[in-house]
mmCIF file of all heavy atoms in Angstrom:
data_model
loop_
_atom_site.group_PDB
_atom_site.id
_atom_site.type_symbol
_atom_site.label_atom_id
_atom_site.label_comp_id
_atom_site.label_asym_id
_atom_site.label_seq_id
_atom_site.Cartn_x
_atom_site.Cartn_y
_atom_site.Cartn_z
ATOM 1 N N TRP W 80 126.945 94.417 153.449
ATOM 2 C CA TRP W 80 127.427 93.465 154.464
ATOM 3 C C TRP W 80 126.408 93.109 155.541
ATOM 4 O O TRP W 80 126.784 92.700 156.632
ATOM 5 C CB TRP W 80 128.723 93.962 155.104
ATOM 6 C CG TRP W 80 129.724 94.315 154.082
ATOM 7 C CD1 TRP W 80 130.492 93.442 153.369
ATOM 8 C CD2 TRP W 80 130.071 95.616 153.644
ATOM 9 N NE1 TRP W 80 131.283 94.145 152.508
ATOM 10 C CE2 TRP W 80 131.060 95.478 152.647
ATOM 11 C CE3 TRP W 80 129.643 96.893 153.990
ATOM 12 C CZ2 TRP W 80 131.637 96.555 151.995
ATOM 13 C CZ3 TRP W 80 130.202 97.971 153.341
ATOM 14 C CH2 TRP W 80 131.188 97.785 152.371
ATOM 15 N N TYR W 81 125.144 93.243 155.246
ATOM 16 C CA TYR W 81 124.119 92.818 156.182
ATOM 17 C C TYR W 81 123.568 91.476 155.755
ATOM 18 O O TYR W 81 123.656 91.102 154.590
ATOM 19 C CB TYR W 81 122.957 93.828 156.223
ATOM 20 C CG TYR W 81 123.314 95.141 156.844
ATOM 21 C CD1 TYR W 81 123.617 96.238 156.049
ATOM 22 C CD2 TYR W 81 123.346 95.291 158.224
ATOM 23 C CE1 TYR W 81 123.948 97.452 156.622
ATOM 24 C CE2 TYR W 81 123.686 96.508 158.813
ATOM 25 C CZ TYR W 81 123.972 97.568 157.997
ATOM 26 O OH TYR W 81 124.317 98.777 158.550
ATOM 27 N N SER W 82 122.964 90.757 156.679
ATOM 28 C CA SER W 82 122.269 89.538 156.326
ATOM 29 C C SER W 82 120.987 89.469 157.162
ATOM 30 O O SER W 82 120.870 90.135 158.179
ATOM 31 C CB SER W 82 123.131 88.315 156.579
ATOM 32 O OG SER W 82 123.424 88.168 157.941
ATOM 33 N N ASP W 83 120.056 88.689 156.681
ATOM 34 C CA ASP W 83 118.779 88.555 157.351
ATOM 35 C C ASP W 83 118.356 87.103 157.267
ATOM 36 O O ASP W 83 118.387 86.506 156.168
ATOM 37 C CB ASP W 83 117.710 89.441 156.694
ATOM 38 C CG ASP W 83 116.443 89.569 157.502
ATOM 39 O OD1 ASP W 83 116.460 89.283 158.713
ATOM 40 O OD2 ASP W 83 115.425 89.990 156.918
ATOM 41 N N GLU W 84 117.998 86.519 158.398
ATOM 42 C CA GLU W 84 117.530 85.137 158.388
ATOM 43 C C GLU W 84 116.153 85.094 157.769
ATOM 44 O O GLU W 84 115.247 85.830 158.163
ATOM 45 C CB GLU W 84 117.485 84.543 159.795
ATOM 46 C CG GLU W 84 117.096 83.088 159.785
ATOM 47 C CD GLU W 84 117.132 82.438 161.158
ATOM 48 O OE1 GLU W 84 118.163 82.577 161.862
ATOM 49 O OE2 GLU W 84 116.127 81.795 161.527
ATOM 50 N N LEU W 85 115.989 84.223 156.774
ATOM 51 C CA LEU W 85 114.721 84.085 156.094
ATOM 52 C C LEU W 85 113.830 83.067 156.786
ATOM 53 O O LEU W 85 112.612 83.157 156.727
ATOM 54 C CB LEU W 85 114.939 83.685 154.633
ATOM 55 C CG LEU W 85 115.774 84.685 153.812
ATOM 56 C CD1 LEU W 85 116.104 84.107 152.461
ATOM 57 C CD2 LEU W 85 115.048 86.016 153.708
ATOM 58 N N GLY W 86 114.468 82.051 157.371
ATOM 59 C CA GLY W 86 113.680 81.047 158.062
ATOM 60 C C GLY W 86 114.440 79.768 158.256
ATOM 61 O O GLY W 86 115.523 79.549 157.689
ATOM 62 N N ARG W 87 113.867 78.883 159.058
ATOM 63 C CA ARG W 87 114.409 77.556 159.325
ATOM 64 C C ARG W 87 113.449 76.554 158.700
ATOM 65 O O ARG W 87 112.231 76.720 158.762
ATOM 66 C CB ARG W 87 114.561 77.325 160.820
ATOM 67 C CG ARG W 87 115.563 78.288 161.418
ATOM 68 C CD ARG W 87 115.659 78.182 162.944
ATOM 69 N NE ARG W 87 116.593 79.170 163.432
ATOM 70 C CZ ARG W 87 117.890 78.922 163.633
ATOM 71 N NH1 ARG W 87 118.373 77.741 163.394
ATOM 72 N NH2 ARG W 87 118.691 79.883 164.074
ATOM 73 N N VAL W 88 114.037 75.520 158.084
ATOM 74 C CA VAL W 88 113.241 74.541 157.370
ATOM 75 C C VAL W 88 113.539 73.152 157.925
ATOM 76 O O VAL W 88 114.676 72.682 157.857
ATOM 77 C CB VAL W 88 113.541 74.557 155.857
ATOM 78 C CG1 VAL W 88 112.509 73.757 155.096
ATOM 79 C CG2 VAL W 88 113.637 75.967 155.317
ATOM 80 N N SER W 89 112.518 72.522 158.465
ATOM 81 C CA SER W 89 112.663 71.156 158.985
ATOM 82 C C SER W 89 112.780 70.163 157.829
ATOM 83 O O SER W 89 112.325 70.465 156.700
ATOM 84 C CB SER W 89 111.455 70.790 159.852
ATOM 85 O OG SER W 89 111.373 71.641 160.957
ATOM 86 N N PRO W 90 113.350 68.976 158.057
ATOM 87 C CA PRO W 90 113.412 67.963 157.002
ATOM 88 C C PRO W 90 112.031 67.669 156.410
ATOM 89 O O PRO W 90 111.032 67.534 157.142
ATOM 90 C CB PRO W 90 113.971 66.736 157.733
ATOM 91 C CG PRO W 90 114.720 67.297 158.894
ATOM 92 C CD PRO W 90 113.943 68.516 159.316
ATOM 93 N N GLY W 91 111.974 67.630 155.093
ATOM 94 C CA GLY W 91 110.717 67.360 154.401
ATOM 95 C C GLY W 91 109.791 68.553 154.295
ATOM 96 O O GLY W 91 108.704 68.466 153.674
ATOM 97 N N GLU W 92 110.135 69.698 154.877
ATOM 98 C CA GLU W 92 109.289 70.882 154.834
ATOM 99 C C GLU W 92 109.741 71.851 153.774
ATOM 100 O O GLU W 92 110.781 71.676 153.152
ATOM 101 C CB GLU W 92 109.311 71.572 156.219
ATOM 102 C CG GLU W 92 108.755 70.729 157.348
ATOM 103 C CD GLU W 92 107.266 70.455 157.239
ATOM 104 O OE1 GLU W 92 106.523 71.382 156.861
ATOM 105 O OE2 GLU W 92 106.860 69.317 157.497
ATOM 106 N N GLU W 93 108.978 72.934 153.610
ATOM 107 C CA GLU W 93 109.255 73.931 152.583
ATOM 108 C C GLU W 93 109.169 75.339 153.202
ATOM 109 O O GLU W 93 108.271 75.622 153.980
ATOM 110 C CB GLU W 93 108.219 73.790 151.468
ATOM 111 C CG GLU W 93 108.375 74.733 150.317
ATOM 112 C CD GLU W 93 107.389 74.457 149.194
ATOM 113 O OE1 GLU W 93 106.593 73.491 149.302
ATOM 114 O OE2 GLU W 93 107.405 75.202 148.224
ATOM 115 N N LEU W 94 110.119 76.167 152.836
ATOM 116 C CA LEU W 94 110.134 77.580 153.223
ATOM 117 C C LEU W 94 109.671 78.388 152.018
ATOM 118 O O LEU W 94 110.169 78.180 150.908
ATOM 119 C CB LEU W 94 111.530 78.017 153.634
ATOM 120 C CG LEU W 94 111.779 79.514 153.856
ATOM 121 C CD1 LEU W 94 111.054 79.975 155.106
ATOM 122 C CD2 LEU W 94 113.252 79.800 153.948
ATOM 123 N N THR W 95 108.718 79.294 152.225
ATOM 124 C CA THR W 95 108.289 80.149 151.133
ATOM 125 C C THR W 95 108.368 81.603 151.581
ATOM 126 O O THR W 95 108.121 81.911 152.745
ATOM 127 C CB THR W 95 106.837 79.839 150.665
ATOM 128 O OG1 THR W 95 105.948 80.015 151.769
ATOM 129 C CG2 THR W 95 106.728 78.436 150.106
ATOM 130 N N LEU W 96 108.757 82.455 150.673
ATOM 131 C CA LEU W 96 108.842 83.891 150.918
ATOM 132 C C LEU W 96 108.698 84.619 149.595
ATOM 133 O O LEU W 96 108.727 83.991 148.545
ATOM 134 C CB LEU W 96 110.164 84.259 151.592
ATOM 135 C CG LEU W 96 111.422 83.941 150.760
ATOM 136 C CD1 LEU W 96 112.226 85.198 150.569
ATOM 137 C CD2 LEU W 96 112.213 82.908 151.528
ATOM 138 N N THR W 97 108.533 85.916 149.695
ATOM 139 C CA THR W 97 108.403 86.729 148.486
ATOM 140 C C THR W 97 109.523 87.738 148.415
ATOM 141 O O THR W 97 109.799 88.461 149.359
ATOM 142 C CB THR W 97 107.042 87.474 148.460
ATOM 143 O OG1 THR W 97 105.985 86.507 148.505
ATOM 144 C CG2 THR W 97 106.901 88.319 147.206
#
Side-chain angles (χ1 to χ4, degrees):
W80 308 283
Y81 291 100
S82 64
D83 192 18
E84 184 176 310
L85 301 172
R87 296 175 182 268
V88 192
S89 298
E92 298 292 320
E93 181 175 358
L94 170 70
T95 59
L96 61 122
T97 300

